[in-house]
Amino acid sequence: MAIKMALLTPNDLININKQLQEADSTVQRVTGLDIKGICKALYGTSPSSEKVGIVPVTSGNGIIGNFSASLHAITQYFGFESFVTDMPDVSGYYEAVRNGAEIILMADDYTFLAHNLKNGKMANNQPCTGIIYAEIASRYLKADSKDVFVVGLGKVGFPGAAHLVQKGFRVYGYDPDENLFQRAVSNLGVIPFNPEKPKKFSIIFEATPCANTIPESVLSENCVLSTPGIPCAISEELRTKYDVQVVAEPLGIGTVSMLYSVL
C-alpha cells in the first residue's frame, strides 16, 4: 500500500512571500548563505532562463487551495520564470509543454515532482526536502561538534540522515516506527538515541508531521533546529528559553531544492 504525503492546507500557504523572506533571513544568519546559495553549493547548479510550468492536479483529495499560486510565488521568488496552466491534469501538462515549459512542477497525494524536459532529470520533493534541510543544519556556523540529532527517519528524514552521514557527521536518530528506525541503524549506521541518557545537541534535524517532538533534554543554548515538519516540532516556550534558531517553512525550501537538483 502506498503511503500518502503529509498534505498541506490552504492556511499553511498564506503569506508565502513573507515566510520565504523570514526563512531566507534565518538561513543566512545560521549558515552565512541564503537559500539559493545553499542550493548552488549543494547541487553545483544555477538557473539560467528555464521556464517552469505548474500543473494543478485534481486526483485523490484534489487541488489544495493556494497550492499552485504558492508554487508560482516560490518559483518567482527564487528567480525562475513560471506560469500556472489554466487546465489541470493531462490537459494541463499538454498546455504547459505547448506553452514552452522546460520544467514541469506537479503533485498528487503521493508524489510532488519536478521534471526537466530538456535534460530528462526528475526529482521527488520528499528526498529533496530532507537533503536541503539536512544541508542547512550541517552548515550551522555555531555548531559545537559533529553530532546531529535526527527525529523522524521516513521518506524525508532518511535521505536527510543519509546526507548527514555522508558529510561525516555522527548522526543520532529516533523514530517511533521500529522498522524505520532499524532501517536507518542498519543501512546508515545511525546511532540509536537513548532518552534515558540525555545528550544535548547544537544541531537538530526533524522530519515528522507531529508537534512538539523535540524534548527539552536535547536542547543546547542557541542550537539550530532545521525542520520541514508541519506543525512545528518545538514549543514556543522552549524555542524562547533556549534561543533556538528555527529554520522552518512549509513548501518553498523543498521546492527550490527540487528545481536546482534538475538543472
Side-chain angles (χ1 to χ4, degrees):
M1 180 181 293
I3 305 299
K4 288 192 178 186
M5 295 189 297
L7 296 178
L8 296 165
T9 69
N11 287 339
D12 294 325
L13 304 175
I14 292 172
N15 299 323
I16 194 77
N17 273 312
K18 181 182 178 183
Q19 293 176 21
L20 289 170
Q21 288 164 5
E22 290 174 352
D24 232 350
S25 176
T26 303
V27 169
Q28 185 133 27
R29 184 171 66 251
V30 164
T31 70
L33 295 171
D34 62 11
I35 295 168
K36 288 195 293 186
I38 295 282
C39 287
K40 183 176 180 179
L42 175 59
Y43 294 111
T45 58
S46 295
S48 52
S49 57
E50 292 83 6
K51 193 173 183 181
V52 179
I54 299 159
V55 182
V57 174
T58 61
S59 71
N61 287 328
I63 295 171
I64 301 168
N66 300 334
F67 184 73
S68 294
S70 294
L71 292 182
H72 185 47
I74 289 163
T75 49
Q76 292 197 316
Y77 179 89
F78 288 110
F80 291 86
E81 180 186 354
S82 66
F83 64 95
V84 179
T85 60
D86 293 326
M87 297 294 291
D89 305 326
V90 174
S91 296
Y93 187 95
Y94 179 71
E95 179 187 338
V97 176
R98 285 290 300 269
N99 287 335
E102 293 156 298
I103 298 174
I104 302 291
L105 281 180
M106 58 195 304
D108 62 12
D109 291 356
Y110 301 95
T111 304
F112 173 24
L113 66 80
H115 186 190
N116 188 323
L117 303 178
K118 290 178 68 178
N119 61 22
K121 290 183 181 180
M122 190 159 56
N124 183 305
N125 180 256
Q126 291 170 324
C128 284
T129 296
I131 288 166
I132 192 169
Y133 273 91
E135 178 70 14
I136 290 166
S138 77
R139 290 174 171 269
Y140 185 36
L141 296 172
K142 296 181 180 179
D144 59 18
S145 78
K146 297 284 282 187
D147 294 345
V148 183
F149 183 35
V150 176
V151 181
L153 293 162
K155 292 187 175 182
V156 175
F158 185 91
H163 184 68
L164 290 164
V165 169
Q166 289 165 5
K167 292 195 73 173
F169 285 82
R170 286 184 295 274
V171 178
Y172 293 76
Y174 173 76
D175 194 297
D177 185 315
E178 188 65 22
N179 290 330
L180 294 178
F181 176 65
Q182 289 301 332
R183 181 182 65 145
V185 172
S186 301
N187 294 358
L188 303 179
V190 165
I191 303 165
F193 175 74
N194 184 355
E196 302 301 318
K197 296 180 179 179
K199 176 179 173 58
K200 294 187 178 295
F201 296 87
S202 61
I203 306 173
I204 301 170
F205 167 55
E206 194 269 1
T208 82
C210 305
N212 302 327
T213 57
I214 304 302
E216 184 171 4
S217 60
V218 305
L219 297 173
S220 62
E221 190 74 25
N222 205 228
C223 63
V224 68
L225 170 60
S226 188
T227 173
I230 302 169
C232 190
I234 190 171
S235 68
E236 191 59 41
E237 177 187 359
L238 290 179
R239 180 175 181 169
T240 302
K241 182 178 179 180
Y242 289 89
D243 194 22
V244 180
Q245 305 301 305
V246 179
V247 179
E249 183 276 329
L251 183 62
I253 295 176
T255 300
V256 74
S257 177
M258 294 166 66
L259 290 170
Y260 270 74
S261 76
V262 301
L263 293 176

